[in-house]
PDB file of all heavy atoms in Angstrom:
ATOM      1  N   LEU A 291    -122.788 -30.677 -72.463  1.00  0.00           N
ATOM      2  CA  LEU A 291    -122.065 -30.082 -73.600  1.00  0.00           C
ATOM      3  C   LEU A 291    -121.821 -28.593 -73.386  1.00  0.00           C
ATOM      4  O   LEU A 291    -120.755 -28.074 -73.732  1.00  0.00           O
ATOM      5  CB  LEU A 291    -122.847 -30.317 -74.895  1.00  0.00           C
ATOM      6  CG  LEU A 291    -123.007 -31.794 -75.290  1.00  0.00           C
ATOM      7  CD1 LEU A 291    -123.942 -31.941 -76.482  1.00  0.00           C
ATOM      8  CD2 LEU A 291    -121.649 -32.416 -75.608  1.00  0.00           C
ATOM      9  N   GLU A 292    -122.799 -27.905 -72.791  1.00  0.00           N
ATOM     10  CA  GLU A 292    -122.617 -26.478 -72.480  1.00  0.00           C
ATOM     11  C   GLU A 292    -121.396 -26.298 -71.573  1.00  0.00           C
ATOM     12  O   GLU A 292    -120.557 -25.420 -71.790  1.00  0.00           O
ATOM     13  CB  GLU A 292    -123.861 -25.929 -71.740  1.00  0.00           C
ATOM     14  CG  GLU A 292    -125.103 -25.778 -72.611  1.00  0.00           C
ATOM     15  CD  GLU A 292    -125.002 -24.592 -73.570  1.00  0.00           C
ATOM     16  OE1 GLU A 292    -124.158 -23.701 -73.345  1.00  0.00           O
ATOM     17  OE2 GLU A 292    -125.773 -24.568 -74.545  1.00  0.00           O
ATOM     18  N   VAL A 293    -121.334 -27.128 -70.532  1.00  0.00           N
ATOM     19  CA  VAL A 293    -120.236 -27.045 -69.560  1.00  0.00           C
ATOM     20  C   VAL A 293    -118.899 -27.305 -70.254  1.00  0.00           C
ATOM     21  O   VAL A 293    -117.933 -26.551 -70.080  1.00  0.00           O
ATOM     22  CB  VAL A 293    -120.463 -28.057 -68.406  1.00  0.00           C
ATOM     23  CG1 VAL A 293    -119.182 -28.280 -67.609  1.00  0.00           C
ATOM     24  CG2 VAL A 293    -121.587 -27.574 -67.486  1.00  0.00           C
ATOM     25  N   ILE A 294    -118.838 -28.362 -71.066  1.00  0.00           N
ATOM     26  CA  ILE A 294    -117.586 -28.715 -71.742  1.00  0.00           C
ATOM     27  C   ILE A 294    -117.116 -27.566 -72.638  1.00  0.00           C
ATOM     28  O   ILE A 294    -115.950 -27.170 -72.612  1.00  0.00           O
ATOM     29  CB  ILE A 294    -117.754 -30.018 -72.555  1.00  0.00           C
ATOM     30  CG1 ILE A 294    -117.877 -31.208 -71.600  1.00  0.00           C
ATOM     31  CG2 ILE A 294    -116.588 -30.216 -73.531  1.00  0.00           C
ATOM     32  CD1 ILE A 294    -118.257 -32.529 -72.276  1.00  0.00           C
ATOM     33  N   ASN A 295    -118.053 -27.009 -73.397  1.00  0.00           N
ATOM     34  CA  ASN A 295    -117.669 -25.906 -74.293  1.00  0.00           C
ATOM     35  C   ASN A 295    -117.209 -24.675 -73.522  1.00  0.00           C
ATOM     36  O   ASN A 295    -116.265 -23.991 -73.927  1.00  0.00           O
ATOM     37  CB  ASN A 295    -118.826 -25.562 -75.237  1.00  0.00           C
ATOM     38  CG  ASN A 295    -118.910 -26.555 -76.392  1.00  0.00           C
ATOM     39  OD1 ASN A 295    -117.908 -26.837 -77.030  1.00  0.00           O
ATOM     40  ND2 ASN A 295    -120.082 -27.115 -76.622  1.00  0.00           N
ATOM     41  N   LYS A 296    -117.848 -24.396 -72.395  1.00  0.00           N
ATOM     42  CA  LYS A 296    -117.426 -23.251 -71.569  1.00  0.00           C
ATOM     43  C   LYS A 296    -116.043 -23.478 -70.960  1.00  0.00           C
ATOM     44  O   LYS A 296    -115.246 -22.552 -70.847  1.00  0.00           O
ATOM     45  CB  LYS A 296    -118.443 -22.983 -70.461  1.00  0.00           C
ATOM     46  CG  LYS A 296    -119.678 -22.224 -70.950  1.00  0.00           C
ATOM     47  CD  LYS A 296    -120.542 -21.764 -69.782  1.00  0.00           C
ATOM     48  CE  LYS A 296    -121.683 -20.873 -70.282  1.00  0.00           C
ATOM     49  NZ  LYS A 296    -122.550 -20.412 -69.179  1.00  0.00           N
ATOM     50  N   ILE A 297    -115.785 -24.745 -70.552  1.00  0.00           N
ATOM     51  CA  ILE A 297    -114.453 -25.067 -70.002  1.00  0.00           C
ATOM     52  C   ILE A 297    -113.389 -24.844 -71.078  1.00  0.00           C
ATOM     53  O   ILE A 297    -112.350 -24.221 -70.829  1.00  0.00           O
ATOM     54  CB  ILE A 297    -114.409 -26.522 -69.477  1.00  0.00           C
ATOM     55  CG1 ILE A 297    -115.205 -26.634 -68.163  1.00  0.00           C
ATOM     56  CG2 ILE A 297    -112.959 -27.001 -69.265  1.00  0.00           C
ATOM     57  CD1 ILE A 297    -115.395 -28.065 -67.656  1.00  0.00           C
ATOM     58  N   TRP A 298    -113.659 -25.307 -72.286  1.00  0.00           N
ATOM     59  CA  TRP A 298    -112.686 -25.140 -73.370  1.00  0.00           C
ATOM     60  C   TRP A 298    -112.431 -23.657 -73.676  1.00  0.00           C
ATOM     61  O   TRP A 298    -111.288 -23.249 -73.868  1.00  0.00           O
ATOM     62  CB  TRP A 298    -113.170 -25.873 -74.625  1.00  0.00           C
ATOM     63  CG  TRP A 298    -113.007 -27.371 -74.544  1.00  0.00           C
ATOM     64  CD1 TRP A 298    -112.181 -28.064 -73.696  1.00  0.00           C
ATOM     65  CD2 TRP A 298    -113.672 -28.353 -75.352  1.00  0.00           C
ATOM     66  NE1 TRP A 298    -112.306 -29.418 -73.923  1.00  0.00           N
ATOM     67  CE2 TRP A 298    -113.199 -29.632 -74.934  1.00  0.00           C
ATOM     68  CE3 TRP A 298    -114.608 -28.291 -76.373  1.00  0.00           C
ATOM     69  CZ2 TRP A 298    -113.644 -30.830 -75.502  1.00  0.00           C
ATOM     70  CZ3 TRP A 298    -115.051 -29.489 -76.947  1.00  0.00           C
ATOM     71  CH2 TRP A 298    -114.567 -30.741 -76.519  1.00  0.00           C
ATOM     72  N   ALA A 299    -113.508 -22.888 -73.726  1.00  0.00           N
ATOM     73  CA  ALA A 299    -113.360 -21.451 -74.036  1.00  0.00           C
ATOM     74  C   ALA A 299    -112.572 -20.740 -72.931  1.00  0.00           C
ATOM     75  O   ALA A 299    -111.673 -19.933 -73.204  1.00  0.00           O
ATOM     76  CB  ALA A 299    -114.737 -20.814 -74.197  1.00  0.00           C
ATOM     77  N   PHE A 300    -112.906 -21.062 -71.679  1.00  0.00           N
ATOM     78  CA  PHE A 300    -112.242 -20.438 -70.522  1.00  0.00           C
ATOM     79  C   PHE A 300    -110.753 -20.803 -70.498  1.00  0.00           C
ATOM     80  O   PHE A 300    -109.891 -19.963 -70.226  1.00  0.00           O
ATOM     81  CB  PHE A 300    -112.942 -20.893 -69.236  1.00  0.00           C
ATOM     82  CG  PHE A 300    -112.359 -20.321 -67.967  1.00  0.00           C
ATOM     83  CD1 PHE A 300    -112.592 -19.001 -67.601  1.00  0.00           C
ATOM     84  CD2 PHE A 300    -111.607 -21.126 -67.108  1.00  0.00           C
ATOM     85  CE1 PHE A 300    -112.065 -18.487 -66.415  1.00  0.00           C
ATOM     86  CE2 PHE A 300    -111.079 -20.619 -65.926  1.00  0.00           C
ATOM     87  CZ  PHE A 300    -111.314 -19.294 -65.580  1.00  0.00           C
ATOM     88  N   ARG A 301    -110.458 -22.042 -70.823  1.00  0.00           N
ATOM     89  CA  ARG A 301    -109.061 -22.504 -70.815  1.00  0.00           C
ATOM     90  C   ARG A 301    -108.268 -21.774 -71.897  1.00  0.00           C
ATOM     91  O   ARG A 301    -107.136 -21.343 -71.677  1.00  0.00           O
ATOM     92  CB  ARG A 301    -109.031 -24.019 -71.049  1.00  0.00           C
ATOM     93  CG  ARG A 301    -107.640 -24.620 -70.933  1.00  0.00           C
ATOM     94  CD  ARG A 301    -107.717 -26.123 -70.793  1.00  0.00           C
ATOM     95  NE  ARG A 301    -108.037 -26.819 -72.036  1.00  0.00           N
ATOM     96  CZ  ARG A 301    -108.779 -27.926 -72.121  1.00  0.00           C
ATOM     97  NH1 ARG A 301    -109.306 -28.459 -71.036  1.00  0.00           N
ATOM     98  NH2 ARG A 301    -108.995 -28.501 -73.289  1.00  0.00           N
ATOM     99  N   LYS A 302    -108.893 -21.625 -73.062  1.00  0.00           N
ATOM    100  CA  LYS A 302    -108.215 -20.954 -74.180  1.00  0.00           C
ATOM    101  C   LYS A 302    -107.953 -19.476 -73.839  1.00  0.00           C
ATOM    102  O   LYS A 302    -106.873 -18.941 -74.103  1.00  0.00           O
ATOM    103  CB  LYS A 302    -109.100 -21.070 -75.421  1.00  0.00           C
ATOM    104  CG  LYS A 302    -108.393 -20.737 -76.706  1.00  0.00           C
ATOM    105  CD  LYS A 302    -109.249 -21.017 -77.913  1.00  0.00           C
ATOM    106  CE  LYS A 302    -108.555 -20.519 -79.170  1.00  0.00           C
ATOM    107  NZ  LYS A 302    -109.426 -20.591 -80.342  1.00  0.00           N
ATOM    108  N   GLU A 303    -108.931 -18.889 -73.216  1.00  0.00           N
ATOM    109  CA  GLU A 303    -108.874 -17.459 -72.903  1.00  0.00           C
ATOM    110  C   GLU A 303    -107.871 -17.157 -71.780  1.00  0.00           C
ATOM    111  O   GLU A 303    -107.145 -16.162 -71.838  1.00  0.00           O
ATOM    112  CB  GLU A 303    -110.295 -17.077 -72.446  1.00  0.00           C
ATOM    113  CG  GLU A 303    -110.596 -15.627 -72.229  1.00  0.00           C
ATOM    114  CD  GLU A 303    -111.991 -15.515 -71.583  1.00  0.00           C
ATOM    115  OE1 GLU A 303    -112.949 -16.169 -72.068  1.00  0.00           O
ATOM    116  OE2 GLU A 303    -112.090 -14.818 -70.569  1.00  0.00           O
ATOM    117  N   THR A 304    -107.824 -18.013 -70.765  1.00  0.00           N
ATOM    118  CA  THR A 304    -107.010 -17.715 -69.575  1.00  0.00           C
ATOM    119  C   THR A 304    -105.687 -18.458 -69.517  1.00  0.00           C
ATOM    120  O   THR A 304    -104.776 -18.054 -68.791  1.00  0.00           O
ATOM    121  CB  THR A 304    -107.763 -18.107 -68.287  1.00  0.00           C
ATOM    122  OG1 THR A 304    -108.009 -19.526 -68.314  1.00  0.00           O
ATOM    123  CG2 THR A 304    -109.080 -17.366 -68.168  1.00  0.00           C
ATOM    124  N   GLY A 305    -105.573 -19.576 -70.268  1.00  0.00           N
ATOM    125  CA  GLY A 305    -104.365 -20.400 -70.158  1.00  0.00           C
ATOM    126  C   GLY A 305    -104.311 -21.196 -68.855  1.00  0.00           C
ATOM    127  O   GLY A 305    -103.296 -21.825 -68.554  1.00  0.00           O
ATOM    128  N   LEU A 306    -105.397 -21.186 -68.081  1.00  0.00           N
ATOM    129  CA  LEU A 306    -105.417 -21.948 -66.823  1.00  0.00           C
ATOM    130  C   LEU A 306    -105.590 -23.443 -67.102  1.00  0.00           C
ATOM    131  O   LEU A 306    -106.147 -23.828 -68.133  1.00  0.00           O
ATOM    132  CB  LEU A 306    -106.551 -21.456 -65.913  1.00  0.00           C
ATOM    133  CG  LEU A 306    -106.353 -20.054 -65.318  1.00  0.00           C
ATOM    134  CD1 LEU A 306    -107.615 -19.591 -64.608  1.00  0.00           C
ATOM    135  CD2 LEU A 306    -105.167 -20.022 -64.349  1.00  0.00           C
ATOM    136  N   HIS A 307    -105.137 -24.250 -66.161  1.00  0.00           N
ATOM    137  CA  HIS A 307    -105.150 -25.706 -66.382  1.00  0.00           C
ATOM    138  C   HIS A 307    -106.422 -26.337 -65.828  1.00  0.00           C
ATOM    139  O   HIS A 307    -106.392 -27.079 -64.856  1.00  0.00           O
ATOM    140  CB  HIS A 307    -103.898 -26.329 -65.785  1.00  0.00           C
ATOM    141  CG  HIS A 307    -102.667 -25.885 -66.492  1.00  0.00           C
ATOM    142  ND1 HIS A 307    -101.767 -24.981 -65.951  1.00  0.00           N
ATOM    143  CD2 HIS A 307    -102.197 -26.187 -67.737  1.00  0.00           C
ATOM    144  CE1 HIS A 307    -100.796 -24.765 -66.833  1.00  0.00           C
ATOM    145  NE2 HIS A 307    -101.034 -25.481 -67.916  1.00  0.00           N
ATOM    146  N   ILE A 308    -107.512 -26.026 -66.486  1.00  0.00           N
ATOM    147  CA  ILE A 308    -108.804 -26.602 -66.110  1.00  0.00           C
ATOM    148  C   ILE A 308    -109.158 -27.664 -67.148  1.00  0.00           C
ATOM    149  O   ILE A 308    -109.061 -27.418 -68.350  1.00  0.00           O
ATOM    150  CB  ILE A 308    -109.891 -25.490 -66.018  1.00  0.00           C
ATOM    151  CG1 ILE A 308    -111.253 -26.091 -65.626  1.00  0.00           C
ATOM    152  CG2 ILE A 308    -109.982 -24.676 -67.316  1.00  0.00           C
ATOM    153  CD1 ILE A 308    -112.341 -25.023 -65.385  1.00  0.00           C
ATOM    154  N   GLY A 309    -109.530 -28.842 -66.676  1.00  0.00           N
ATOM    155  CA  GLY A 309    -109.913 -29.932 -67.583  1.00  0.00           C
ATOM    156  C   GLY A 309    -111.118 -30.643 -67.002  1.00  0.00           C
ATOM    157  O   GLY A 309    -111.589 -30.296 -65.926  1.00  0.00           O
ATOM    158  N   PHE A 310    -111.605 -31.635 -67.719  1.00  0.00           N
ATOM    159  CA  PHE A 310    -112.769 -32.361 -67.202  1.00  0.00           C
ATOM    160  C   PHE A 310    -112.612 -33.847 -67.458  1.00  0.00           C
ATOM    161  O   PHE A 310    -111.857 -34.281 -68.327  1.00  0.00           O
ATOM    162  CB  PHE A 310    -114.072 -31.868 -67.869  1.00  0.00           C
ATOM    163  CG  PHE A 310    -114.190 -32.252 -69.317  1.00  0.00           C
ATOM    164  CD1 PHE A 310    -114.688 -33.494 -69.696  1.00  0.00           C
ATOM    165  CD2 PHE A 310    -113.772 -31.377 -70.319  1.00  0.00           C
ATOM    166  CE1 PHE A 310    -114.766 -33.863 -71.035  1.00  0.00           C
ATOM    167  CE2 PHE A 310    -113.832 -31.736 -71.661  1.00  0.00           C
ATOM    168  CZ  PHE A 310    -114.339 -32.987 -72.018  1.00  0.00           C
ATOM    169  N   THR A 311    -113.344 -34.622 -66.684  1.00  0.00           N
ATOM    170  CA  THR A 311    -113.573 -36.008 -67.044  1.00  0.00           C
ATOM    171  C   THR A 311    -115.037 -36.311 -66.763  1.00  0.00           C
ATOM    172  O   THR A 311    -115.728 -35.517 -66.122  1.00  0.00           O
ATOM    173  CB  THR A 311    -112.617 -36.982 -66.323  1.00  0.00           C
ATOM    174  OG1 THR A 311    -112.808 -38.277 -66.891  1.00  0.00           O
ATOM    175  CG2 THR A 311    -112.858 -37.046 -64.825  1.00  0.00           C
ATOM    176  N   LEU A 312    -115.503 -37.439 -67.288  1.00  0.00           N
ATOM    177  CA  LEU A 312    -116.914 -37.827 -67.143  1.00  0.00           C
ATOM    178  C   LEU A 312    -116.965 -39.275 -66.695  1.00  0.00           C
ATOM    179  O   LEU A 312    -116.095 -40.066 -67.042  1.00  0.00           O
ATOM    180  CB  LEU A 312    -117.641 -37.726 -68.497  1.00  0.00           C
ATOM    181  CG  LEU A 312    -117.552 -36.409 -69.250  1.00  0.00           C
ATOM    182  CD1 LEU A 312    -117.950 -36.625 -70.714  1.00  0.00           C
ATOM    183  CD2 LEU A 312    -118.453 -35.360 -68.623  1.00  0.00           C
ATOM    184  N   ASP A 313    -117.996 -39.620 -65.941  1.00  0.00           N
ATOM    185  CA  ASP A 313    -118.302 -41.015 -65.702  1.00  0.00           C
ATOM    186  C   ASP A 313    -119.308 -41.432 -66.767  1.00  0.00           C
ATOM    187  O   ASP A 313    -119.594 -40.670 -67.673  1.00  0.00           O
ATOM    188  CB  ASP A 313    -118.902 -41.196 -64.301  1.00  0.00           C
ATOM    189  CG  ASP A 313    -117.849 -41.711 -63.323  1.00  0.00           C
ATOM    190  OD1 ASP A 313    -116.848 -42.281 -63.782  1.00  0.00           O
ATOM    191  OD2 ASP A 313    -118.033 -41.557 -62.104  1.00  0.00           O
ATOM    192  N   ALA A 314    -119.900 -42.604 -66.609  1.00  0.00           N
ATOM    193  CA  ALA A 314    -120.900 -43.045 -67.583  1.00  0.00           C
ATOM    194  C   ALA A 314    -122.229 -42.364 -67.266  1.00  0.00           C
ATOM    195  O   ALA A 314    -123.220 -42.998 -66.927  1.00  0.00           O
ATOM    196  CB  ALA A 314    -121.041 -44.558 -67.527  1.00  0.00           C
ATOM    197  N   GLY A 315    -122.248 -41.039 -67.379  1.00  0.00           N
ATOM    198  CA  GLY A 315    -123.449 -40.272 -67.076  1.00  0.00           C
ATOM    199  C   GLY A 315    -123.263 -38.836 -67.527  1.00  0.00           C
ATOM    200  O   GLY A 315    -122.317 -38.531 -68.257  1.00  0.00           O
TER     201      GLY A 315
END
Side-chain angles (χ1 to χ4, degrees):
L291 297 173
E292 288 286 342
V293 164
I294 289 171
N295 281 311
K296 281 190 174 180
I297 287 172
W298 285 341
F300 180 75
R301 185 164 75 215
K302 194 173 174 188
E303 188 188 313
T304 62
L306 290 172
H307 294 106
I308 180 174
F310 70 85
T311 188
L312 307 163
D313 259 339

